[in-house]
């Protein structure tokens, strides 16, 4: 069938790109940041606020949803879009990363990975075919291949073994996905740790299999920012220019700008919501730890010119009080502030790339972070 | 100065009344339910949702706010309306009730109550004069006298002693409040436990002192619903008809209707938000415990005809999942559902009283609760 899924490059500026992904549930403007809805909810934030922040697409975790409430249950309830009432694009990961990070007991074999559920201790098998089937049941617009993710630093042999296994799983995922003949997209995931040769091998082999988009996996797993940037810079050019490139699990605002400059189109990360719950606000003036005592008497908002009502309407003193008093509203408000900030950062990147001034945009943005001119209070 | 505060009776129906309280920050339609913003925030709920639910007025706790962030700090930040960004009417309690319920160590004397802060262990003195001063600093539209609250059942001598002490504190509060000559209201609090004679004595003495409104205190402290209704039925007629009557800390939807029928105009209670956080939704069809397993596959909303988006838009299956998954969004959504329900219950009461059909309204509402026709799933 003709696919609703497509990717259109609108403009490039050096290696940076801006474009548009079309899906059956709507458009995704790239570079795009995907808020993480691990269990079918963005932690502490109402969907309406996620949408108001400007998110075109969210990410949901296959691992969590297959264990609870279960992929078959979600399918019976109309799929994830209906279940969680997010009628816009959704990307699901394959579950592989959470198996590695959350399950105490797991066994990786050629067939797939067997793991003990962190919820009830049941043994669960996740094969490439099951990972695809689960994502089809969930109904996501973009599914990810099952992969094996290795924490860095790691032994090169182990990195290569996992990379080769992930390639064989990529082929099986592609086959399973094609046989379902659905109007959705499947992305392959490049592995190879911090080794340029392995990364290029992986990128080439995945391109030969042929995917709707390509992710760079196995980063944001303990390496330094320098290693991450080097790997992205070396890997992105090895991927087809006419397909979206997705850097998984990244990152800070600075990480995002650095990766966009190297040709990345998509991101997901829990930082905006996790840091928000812990009292850290991302703002144009750099990060603000609202729990610091000097905010207690500060009547100024986080950013009077923000597009985000929570950043504009509430005083730092009030936000500080909410955290000191243990009121959950504080974490919710700062999560919303951060989701707006991440979306605005990406919107600014898109506009700057279209105007062929992305390097200037990065310099201006970083200068404003460093100046911290609005902080601490005068 | 001429007071902005006034109370206007619009209609009565047997003992039930509907009216309008005017304050400097706007009108309060009665019977009114006040959501509780203990620490300057309604737990887990954004102010905008509290307003959307239909609340004209909220309650804030003097005890909590005087300890953190401190009344002087709130005053320096422009008062509680500005601090928490709730530009509508606010009632503050006196702090007395929380001193009794939250402080492990306290000493009640003629001068006032001395207690150990549950936050930092500091010894704090709360006199009638300080209770008024704190509420003036907070800037609430309606302040409450300091009182001593006795848990029921209790010895009649102890009830009478506390009632007499509360009367003497009422006089001192009135004096302190009048000397500040502010455009705000002060309410007295009737005590006397479950003893009709003591309640009537207290009501008469408070009326002689003269307050802008009168509260019934010392209920919802362990007595049966029958005792509560009896005390309300005996006490309300002893209070001036031309002043608002406020039943403190009450209660369930059934409690509210029973008290309105006996002439009460105002309520506050943590039930809608506390029960919401624990998975209990108040609906037209009675309470629904969303954590029950039979909701796991139920695609129906809590109430398709509700005015509340959360009750209308999300399936019971999704809400159930949020609670099972420990997602805070579940508690937030059910708190909002409950705040809407409480406000709609009061709006229905106001309309029914104005139409002289309040008894029918109560009967119809209770019948719908009992029928539970929408639950469990067909």
């Amino acid at each position: 069938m003709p696919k609703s899924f497509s990717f259109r490059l609108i403009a490039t500026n050096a290696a940076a790109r801006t474009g548009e992904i079309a899906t059956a549930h709507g458009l995704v403007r790239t570079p795009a940041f995907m808020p993480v809805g691990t269990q079918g909810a963005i932690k502490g934030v109402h969907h309406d606020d996620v949408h108001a922040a400007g998110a075109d697409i969210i990410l949901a975790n296959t691992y969590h949803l297959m264990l609870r409430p279960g992929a078959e249950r979600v399918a019976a309830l109309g799929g994830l879009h209906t279940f969680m009432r997010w009628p816009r694009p959704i990307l699901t990961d394959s579950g592989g990363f959470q198996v590695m990070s959350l399950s105490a007991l797991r066994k990786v074999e050629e067939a797939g990975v067997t793991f003990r559920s962190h919820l009830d201790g049941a043994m669960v098998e996740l094969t490439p075919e099951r990972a695809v089937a689960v994502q089809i049941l969930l109904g996501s617009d973009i599914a990810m291949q099952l992969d094996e993710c290795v924490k860095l630093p790691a032994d090169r042999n182990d990195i290569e073994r996992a990379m080769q296994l992930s390639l064989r799983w990529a082929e099986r995922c592609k086959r399973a996905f094609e046989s379902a003949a659905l109007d959705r997209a499947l992305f392959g995931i490049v592995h190879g740790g911090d080794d340029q040769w392995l990364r290029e091998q992986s990128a080439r082999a995945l391109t030969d299999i042929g995917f709707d988009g390509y992710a760079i996996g196995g980063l944001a797993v303990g390496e330094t920012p320098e290693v991450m940037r080097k790997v992205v810079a070396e890997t992105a050019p090895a991927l087809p220019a006419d397909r979206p490139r997705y850097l998984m699990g990244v990152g800070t605002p600075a990480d995002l700008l650095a990766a966009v400059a190297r040709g990345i189109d998509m991101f997901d990360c829990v930082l905006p919501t996790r840091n928000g719950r812990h009292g850290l606000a991302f703002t144009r003036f750099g990060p603000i730890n609202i729990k610091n005592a000097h905010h207690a008497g500060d009547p100024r908002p986080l950013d009077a010119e923000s597009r985000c009502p929570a950043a504009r309407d509430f005083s730092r003193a009030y936000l500080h009080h909410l955290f000191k008093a243990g009121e959950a509203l504080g974490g919710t408000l700062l999560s919303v502030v951060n989701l707006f900030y991440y979306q605005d950062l990406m919107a600014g990147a898109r506009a700057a790339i279209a105007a062929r001034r992305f390097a200037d945009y990065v310099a201006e943005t970083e200068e404003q972070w460093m100046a911290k001119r609005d902080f601490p209070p005068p």
Side-chain angles (χ1 to χ4, degrees), chain A:
Chain A
M1 70 170 78
K3 278 210 180 198
S4 309
F5 184 90
S6 66
F7 177 57
R8 183 171 74 87
L9 267 182
I10 294 171
T12 60
N13 183 199
R17 305 134 52 94
T18 182
E20 209 168 65
I21 299 171
T23 79
H25 287 94
L27 293 176
V28 178
R29 298 160 291 177
T30 66
F33 178 80
M34 303 184 279
V36 177
T38 304
Q39 308 188 95
I42 285 80
K43 283 212 184 303
V45 179
H46 195 292
H47 308 354
D48 292 350
D49 291 320
V50 177
H51 178 57
D56 291 334
I57 179 170
I58 60 167
L59 175 145
N61 285 127
T62 289
Y63 172 86
H64 286 93
L65 292 169
M66 73 184 279
L67 295 181
R68 183 176 53 200
E72 282 74 10
R73 166 145 281 158
V74 172
L77 289 162
L80 192 53
H81 294 87
T82 302
F83 178 61
M84 68 179 288
R85 204 187 64 96
W86 174 267
R88 300 170 186 88
I90 298 177
L91 179 147
T92 45
D93 64 8
S94 70
F97 183 80
Q98 264 81 26
V99 169
M100 311 300 165
S101 60
L102 290 180
S103 176
L105 186 71
R106 62 179 176 273
K107 196 172 160 194
V108 179
E109 295 170 302
E110 187 64 31
V113 54
T114 311
F115 64 94
R116 192 180 288 286
S117 160
H118 75 290
L119 293 182
D120 61 3
M123 290 308 295
V124 182
E125 197 189 9
L126 190 62
T127 62
E129 291 76 17
R130 175 67 183 157
V132 165
V134 166
Q135 294 179 82
I136 288 175
L137 285 166
L138 295 175
S140 54
D141 299 281
I142 302 176
M144 301 300 298
Q145 71 150 100
L146 186 67
D147 58 340
E148 189 194 351
C149 196
V150 175
K151 274 214 172 80
L152 292 181
D155 181 77
R156 191 180 185 279
N157 286 340
D158 199 40
I159 292 176
E160 176 159 18
R161 184 202 51 73
M163 182 273 268
Q164 296 290 1
L165 178 64
S166 295
L167 280 180
R168 294 191 296 277
W169 286 359
E171 276 204 77
R172 287 166 57 189
C173 283
K174 173 81 186 288
R175 236 176 358 248
F177 196 78
E178 285 201 322
S179 72
L182 290 162
D183 184 20
R184 300 177 197 160
L186 178 70
F187 281 22
I189 306 178
V190 178
H191 278 282
D194 52 359
D195 187 295
Q196 181 171 6
W197 191 83
L198 291 179
R199 287 279 178 184
E200 287 172 354
Q201 289 291 105
S202 175
R204 202 161 305 135
L206 287 171
T207 310
D208 288 345
I209 300 171
F211 287 92
D212 300 303
Y214 297 87
I216 301 178
L219 289 180
V221 290
E223 79 285 359
T224 63
E226 291 68 35
V227 169
M228 184 201 289
R229 287 169 198 200
K230 173 187 158 297
V231 172
V232 172
E234 291 166 355
T235 308
L239 294 169
D242 62 348
R243 297 293 156 96
R245 301 167 183 156
Y246 161 30
L247 179 57
M248 302 184 81
V250 174
T252 64
D255 289 338
L256 265 57
L257 293 183
V260 168
R262 289 159 179 79
I264 299 297
D265 307 303
M266 301 167 71
F267 304 90
D268 81 277
C269 193
V270 296
L271 267 192
T273 45
R274 179 177 293 165
N275 281 0
R277 288 197 304 283
H278 293 142
L280 196 90
F282 292 107
T283 75
R284 291 188 294 141
F285 316 112
I288 293 179
N289 185 345
I290 202 68
K291 293 196 278 192
N292 281 345
H294 63 84
H295 298 299
D298 193 341
R300 295 173 308 157
L302 285 169
D303 182 352
E305 288 160 43
S306 174
R307 197 173 53 82
C308 172
R312 222 170 42 214
D313 296 346
F314 292 103
S315 69
R316 298 178 187 202
Y318 182 65
L319 296 171
H320 173 86
H321 166 68
L322 291 178
F323 275 91
K324 286 294 167 187
E327 289 285 342
L329 182 62
T332 294
L333 292 176
L334 254 57
S335 295
V336 172
V337 165
N338 290 345
L339 289 175
F340 269 79
Y341 183 73
Y342 268 64
Q343 294 301 333
D344 287 350
L345 188 69
M346 292 294 95
R350 292 192 294 267
I353 295 165
R356 269 76 177 180
R357 58 179 304 283
F358 184 65
D360 288 346
Y361 174 70
V362 173
E364 290 156 13
T365 303
E366 290 180 344
E367 191 182 4
Q368 208 166 23
W369 289 341
M370 298 305 292
K372 297 190 176 207
R373 62 160 191 231
D374 204 33
F375 169 81

